[in-house]
Every structure is written in structure tokens, then in C-alpha cells.
Amino acid sequence: MKLQDNQQFNFGVYGVCTKGDEVLVIKKGRGPYKGLYDLPGGRIEFGEHVEIALKREFEEEVDVTVTALTFIGYNEYFCQFTNDIGELKDFHHVGLYFSVECDTSTIKIDADGHDSLGALFVPKSELGLHNCSQIALEMIQKVVW
């Protein structure tokens, strides 16, 4: 089925990385999660293996190399949002989620030029629907709580 002009579909891969009681997140700069924390990750390119896509996204958004990953599940989210040019969009998001290990002694805190405004660690106790995308928060809770 072809998408209508007011519809947006995203199928991606995302990673949950923790350090103590903190979770590695990015601050979203656009899209339905604009201004919220989200997990590092993104779209899987055509012909790209899921694990390779996750590693690429972590390098692009966080500037770290994923050394281990374990599949934890998938999640799906539906909403409406107004994009940056004022158009109302129906949004359908499907994500594959992995628990990841990587050296996070240094992370990219600056914008990546796409949709991340920078990466940071946030204590899990400070994450909620007021500041984190719902699709990510559900998977973070699955891994961390």
C-alpha cells in the first residue's frame, strides 16, 4: 500500500546502553519526538543488515563503536504530529531494540546534522513521558527496571 501525503512510516533499529543507573539517549531535533529524549538508532537502509544498521547509527549519532548487542524485542507506536512546515502527519513507527555494549568514555554531545541534537546519559529516575518518547521509554523500562 502506498503512503498518503499525510502519512509517515518509520522502521528502525535502536539500542539501550546503560552506565550504572543512567541510560544513553539522544535529544531529538525533528519529527514526532522533537524536543524529547530517544534512544540512539534509526532507519535501516535497503540491503543493510539490522546489526550493521545499529552499529552505523551509534557511530553517526554517538560516535561510539558497539562491541556487543542482544535483541530484546520490538515495539510499535502510532501518533499524529505537526512537522516543521506545519503539516499534520499520521505517524507509524516500528522499532527493533537491542541491549548494547560500547565504550562510552567519550560521546558526541553535538548535533549530528540529521535529527540528533547530541547524546547524553540521563539517570533512569529522570526519564518519563514528559521528556522521553513513549516508544523508547517502554523499551528502556523493559531493560533497566
Side-chain angles (χ1 to χ4, degrees):
M1 179 168 98
K2 183 177 172 160
L3 293 177
Q4 303 297 314
D5 288 341
N6 70 325
Q7 296 175 326
Q8 183 176 334
F9 177 73
N10 187 36
F11 179 66
V13 61
Y14 306 88
V16 180
C17 178
T18 59
K19 181 170 65 172
D21 72 338
E22 297 181 315
V23 179
L24 180 63
V25 295
I26 60 167
K27 184 81 170 209
K28 294 296 275 191
R30 66 178 186 186
Y33 311 131
K34 182 177 182 176
L36 299 174
Y37 295 132
D38 200 18
L39 291 168
R43 286 195 179 111
I44 302 164
E45 296 175 2
F46 181 81
E48 187 176 39
H49 290 276
V50 170
E51 295 86 354
I52 299 299
L54 181 62
K55 290 177 179 181
R56 174 184 51 77
E57 288 287 346
F58 262 72
E59 288 173 4
E60 290 173 3
E61 293 182 346
V62 189
D63 198 24
V64 298
T65 301
V66 172
T67 56
L69 50 92
T70 304
F71 182 68
I72 55 175
Y74 78 94
N75 205 355
E76 193 166 20
Y77 182 68
F78 299 88
C79 72
Q80 286 187 323
F81 77 101
T82 303
N83 67 14
D84 289 338
I85 59 172
E87 300 170 324
L88 183 65
K89 296 281 189 176
D90 291 323
F91 185 65
H92 180 190
H93 188 183
V94 176
L96 304 176
Y97 291 83
F98 289 80
S99 176
V100 301
E101 294 178 21
C102 47
D103 177 5
T104 57
S105 55
T106 61
I107 59 174
K108 183 191 289 187
I109 59 172
D110 298 321
D112 69 355
H114 299 284
D115 67 346
S116 170
L117 298 178
L120 67 154
F121 277 94
V122 176
K124 68 179 183 181
S125 62
E126 294 180 16
L127 294 173
L129 290 177
H130 65 286
N131 65 358
C132 188
S133 71
Q134 182 175 337
I135 194 169
L137 186 60
E138 290 173 6
M139 297 313 283
I140 291 167
Q141 290 171 336
K142 184 175 183 175
V143 171
V144 178
W145 272 271

